[in-house]
Amino acid sequence: MSGSGGFKRGLTSYGDVEFSLFLRKAFIKGAGYTDDALDRPIVGITNTGSGFNPCHGNMPQLIEAVKRGVMLAGGLPFDFPTISIHESFAFPTSMYQRNLMSMDTEEQIRALPIDAVVLIGGCDKTVPAQLMGAASAGLPAIQLVTGSMLNGSHHGTRVGACTDCRRYWGSYRAGEIDSDEIAAVNDNLVASVGTCCVMGTASTMACLGEALGIMLPGGATAPAVSADRIRMAEQTGKQAVTMIAQHLVPERILTPDAFENALRVLLAIGGSTNGIIHLTAIAGRMGIRIDLDQVDRMSQETPVLVDLKPSGSHYMSDLHHAGGLAPVLRELRPLLHLDALTVTGRTLGEELDAAPPAFSQDVVRPFDHPVYPLGSFAVLRGNLAPGGAIIKQSAASADLMEHEGRAIVFDNAQDMAERLDDPGLDVRADDILVLRQIGPVGAPGMPEAGYIPIPRKLARQGVHDMVRVSDGRMSGTAAGTIVLHVTPESACGGPLALVRTGDRIRLSVHDRSLSLLVSDAELASRAASRSEPSPDPDQRGYRKLYVESVLQADQGCDFGFLQSPRRDVSVPKP
Ligand code: FES
């Protein structure tokens, strides 16, 4: 490749540019490459395969197909490793490592002699981490996802991670099924490699990648073990080479209009509440601020159209067979910015015009016959959440959306684990469970512990839902009347730290309010008597960096120093 691209990019500093290139070529020729090969456009491919990440278990096949696509288009592919994160193999929580993975991805893209990058992610935090890193690195980047797992079957009923994991576990806790049956369920919930097969965070981020235009059209939904997924990988490799010549850098694709489109899709697919945190973090890398109050306004005019668990009844493979994201975009068309550019070099509108024709199906509903009449979540404010909180209204119980109750407070996850199932715990079905110290700083890492289990003694009485409030997150696969992301978090002086068992709390989703019914004077007195926790003298390394640098949920939980210094654009526009 002529000019300064390809292998001439980012030469190691030896003080002699020609020697640096000479040395680099000498080493890579040790792997058997010719000058002809090395003169091609170079496409890097992130290899996030790991024995601890079954959601990425098809990585070898995908990398092979991407490489085939790159070579068909005249480029030279190289895969390189980055951190891989799986939800169930990340202590203390995967979110704690998301920013680390974004830094790893960004710095690898900067360090290696590549002209474009194919980002292969899938499990919840990997796609946002990769898009954050690639947005900051600024080279042409295209997202590929591993795709969703196959469904399993239990006693003739289709099952899949992880909405059904939580449903069956709830039945087990309630004594409705025994230990033999829950063990049998455990064998069948995850039927293959690939990501969770409901509209959890992985599926949400895949759909948002396509809506942002940073993924090929049709790329979000093909199952991990399908021919469609392998073909998508090949096409992605081909497109990466084309993007180099067209200079299709993230700055041209991840625009304010693209983020508005993605927010619209997030609301319409019944997407994970984590999606708003991740979109905020990616946007922050581009100097774009997500305005939660305007997102709430958008939610009131954007119905949930996709009938997938946990808001509906189908699975990701059903959405793929129903046409993927195209029918959703078609229904939303009047509300989308159709001029937004995509990785194909064409606009979203042009891609929609070229999409396969619509056909009859029952997974994506018409705009005027939605699964839920409003967007998937609402933004709450009040004296308990001055910086905002989120509720996934499409997966909540209608009879609990307007509710006042007595607070039952757990000081942290450990306290909850020790007391929740105590038969002596004074708790009733109309109480409100409060869990604090699970925010970005407090836990740290803002774990998905906001899905507070129903106390066992109530579960055994048939109670399936209660209002729950925390400064943590919950899995996108979970459902219930659960208030999340309370900001500021309790560890950073948020009012959640002041709640006491027995206080009254009022939730009104209609009024978008979350109120602690305690006088300002009493709250001021409680705040004055609180002692500041002393800093941990042994804190060091990444944990120290994390606790000192992580931003609150309303700013995407990114590190402040990773955000773009430009923060002058706000979306959605009023
Ligand atoms: Fe990886 Fe659900 S655990 S997508």
Side-chain angles (χ1 to χ4, degrees):
M1 189 172 181
S2 59
S4 57
F7 259 71
K8 298 181 188 123
R9 182 184 291 276
L11 289 168
T12 313
S13 304
Y14 293 115
D16 179 341
V17 170
E18 289 182 14
F19 176 70
S20 295
L21 182 59
F22 170 79
L23 205 59
R24 175 176 284 176
K25 283 195 165 184
F27 277 113
I28 202 73
K29 283 179 179 173
Y33 287 89
T34 62
D35 279 316
D36 179 29
L38 297 174
D39 209 28
R40 311 271 164 161
I42 310 285
V43 175
I45 305 163
T46 61
N47 182 345
T48 52
S50 160
F52 287 111
N53 195 344
C55 295
H56 292 198
N58 57 345
M59 192 63 58
Q61 293 87 351
L62 293 181
I63 289 175
E64 181 190 332
V66 172
K67 286 184 171 178
R68 185 166 66 240
V70 170
M71 289 191 281
L72 282 170
L76 180 64
F78 286 91
D79 65 301
F80 62 90
T82 74
I83 296 170
S84 186
I85 310 172
H86 183 279
E87 287 301 294
S88 292
F89 294 92
F91 176 82
T93 176
S94 59
M95 188 67 168
Y96 178 71
Q97 293 185 316
R98 184 202 64 178
N99 295 352
L100 184 63
M101 184 173 176
S102 84
M103 292 166 73
D104 183 2
T105 303
E106 175 182 349
E107 295 306 325
Q108 287 299 305
I109 294 172
R110 286 188 194 284
L112 296 170
I114 57 179
D115 299 301
V117 62
V118 175
L119 309 160
I120 312 182
C123 196
D124 294 12
K125 306 303 177 293
T126 59
V127 170
Q130 291 179 327
L131 290 178
M132 290 160 71
S136 296
L139 274 192
I142 183 168
Q143 184 76 56
L144 175 69
V145 291
T146 54
S148 60
M149 63 182 67
L150 298 178
N151 286 104
S153 175
H154 175 67
H155 294 174
T157 301
R158 283 173 92 198
V159 295
C162 225
T163 304
D164 297 322
C165 312
R166 297 172 200 286
R167 184 166 61 82
Y168 279 99
W169 189 250
S171 297
Y172 175 60
R173 279 177 57 81
E176 294 162 4
I177 62 174
D178 62 18
S179 54
D180 286 345
E181 183 165 359
I182 196 70
V185 169
N186 191 257
D187 279 346
N188 291 302
L189 282 167
V190 179
S192 75
V193 297
T195 53
C196 289
C197 56
V198 297
M199 191 51 81
T201 306
S203 303
T204 298
M205 292 311 301
C207 291
L208 296 186
E210 187 172 337
L212 282 167
I214 198 84
M215 178 190 290
L216 283 178
T221 54
V225 292
S226 66
D228 279 351
R229 176 54 59 201
I230 301 294
R231 272 191 287 271
M232 184 54 63
E234 181 185 303
Q235 289 162 3
T236 300
K238 262 181 157 176
Q239 191 58 37
V241 179
T242 305
M243 289 173 71
I244 298 168
Q246 296 183 346
H247 193 58
L248 283 169
V249 292
E251 194 174 1
R252 297 179 63 197
I253 295 166
L254 299 178
T255 60
D257 282 355
F259 282 100
E260 284 207 24
N261 287 341
L263 287 165
R264 198 64 87 173
V265 166
L266 173 63
L267 294 163
I269 60 177
S272 163
T273 46
N274 290 312
I276 188 71
I277 292 185
H278 297 320
L279 267 184
T280 302
I282 300 163
R285 298 299 185 95
M286 304 305 296
I288 299 168
R289 196 177 70 83
I290 304 279
D291 181 338
L292 279 180
D293 293 322
Q294 290 304 324
V295 172
D296 188 74
R297 188 263 308 155
M298 189 184 251
S299 178
Q300 302 193 36
E301 59 185 37
T302 312
V304 175
L305 301 176
V306 179
D307 185 5
L308 247 65
K309 292 185 175 196
S311 298
S313 56
H314 291 93
Y315 293 92
M316 272 304 270
S317 55
D318 302 320
L319 178 59
H320 185 60
H321 296 143
L325 200 63
V328 182
L329 296 171
R330 213 176 267 128
E331 291 297 323
L332 293 175
R333 187 174 183 129
L335 299 172
L336 295 174
H337 296 287
L338 298 172
D339 290 341
L341 191 64
T342 76
V343 285
T344 62
R346 295 180 291 273
T347 65
L348 181 66
E350 289 170 330
E351 291 298 344
L352 262 180
D353 290 341
F359 54 88
S360 175
Q361 44 79 30
D362 62 354
V363 181
V364 180
R365 298 272 191 86
F367 194 88
D368 55 5
H369 181 52
V371 175
Y372 186 78
L374 304 169
S376 54
F377 58 81
V379 178
L380 308 171
R381 291 194 190 268
N383 67 344
L384 197 46
I390 296 280
I391 184 168
K392 189 167 185 178
Q393 55 184 349
S394 62
S397 300
D399 59 335
L400 289 175
M401 306 265 261
E402 306 296 315
H403 184 76
E404 182 184 318
R406 182 181 64 149
I408 306 295
V409 180
F410 300 99
D411 279 328
N412 51 48
Q414 178 73 26
D415 180 37
M416 183 185 77
E418 287 170 4
R419 293 196 296 125
L420 188 75
D421 288 340
D422 182 344
L425 181 69
D426 177 16
V427 62
R428 304 187 301 257
D430 62 349
D431 287 336
I432 294 180
L433 304 178
V434 174
L435 175 58
R436 57 189 168 213
Q437 285 292 119
I438 60 165
V441 173
M446 205 181 180
E448 291 184 341
Y451 180 75
I452 305 168
I454 303 297
R456 195 185 296 267
K457 72 177 187 184
L458 295 181
R460 296 206 159 168
Q461 293 165 20
V463 176
H464 289 291
D465 194 11
M466 295 171 71
V467 175
R468 289 159 268 180
V469 178
S470 78
D471 47 12
R473 299 175 299 116
M474 82 172 177
S475 165
T477 63
T481 312
I482 300 176
V483 178
L484 302 155
H485 311 179
V486 168
T487 305
E489 63 170 304
S490 55
C492 294
L496 201 63
L498 306 178
V499 186
R500 292 181 182 167
T501 290
D503 287 347
R504 311 268 321 157
I505 292 175
R506 184 184 298 140
L507 166 69
S508 172
V509 179
H510 178 267
D511 294 342
R512 301 291 194 263
S513 69
L514 180 68
S515 308
L516 178 60
L517 305 180
V518 173
S519 71
D520 290 348
E522 169 63 15
L523 289 178
S525 153
R526 290 183 192 178
S529 64
R530 261 177 62 81
S531 51
E532 283 296 316
S534 44
D536 177 359
D538 295 329
Q539 204 165 77
R540 54 164 293 283
Y542 180 68
R543 188 180 174 111
K544 184 174 170 65
L545 177 76
Y546 188 94
V547 168
E548 291 178 354
S549 309
V550 72
L551 300 170
Q552 292 290 283
D554 61 337
Q555 297 179 74
C557 301
D558 199 0
F559 293 155
F561 64 84
L562 291 175
Q563 291 193 308
S564 167
R566 291 180 292 115
R567 303 275 293 156
D568 44 3
V569 181
S570 179
V571 297
K573 291 184 232 20

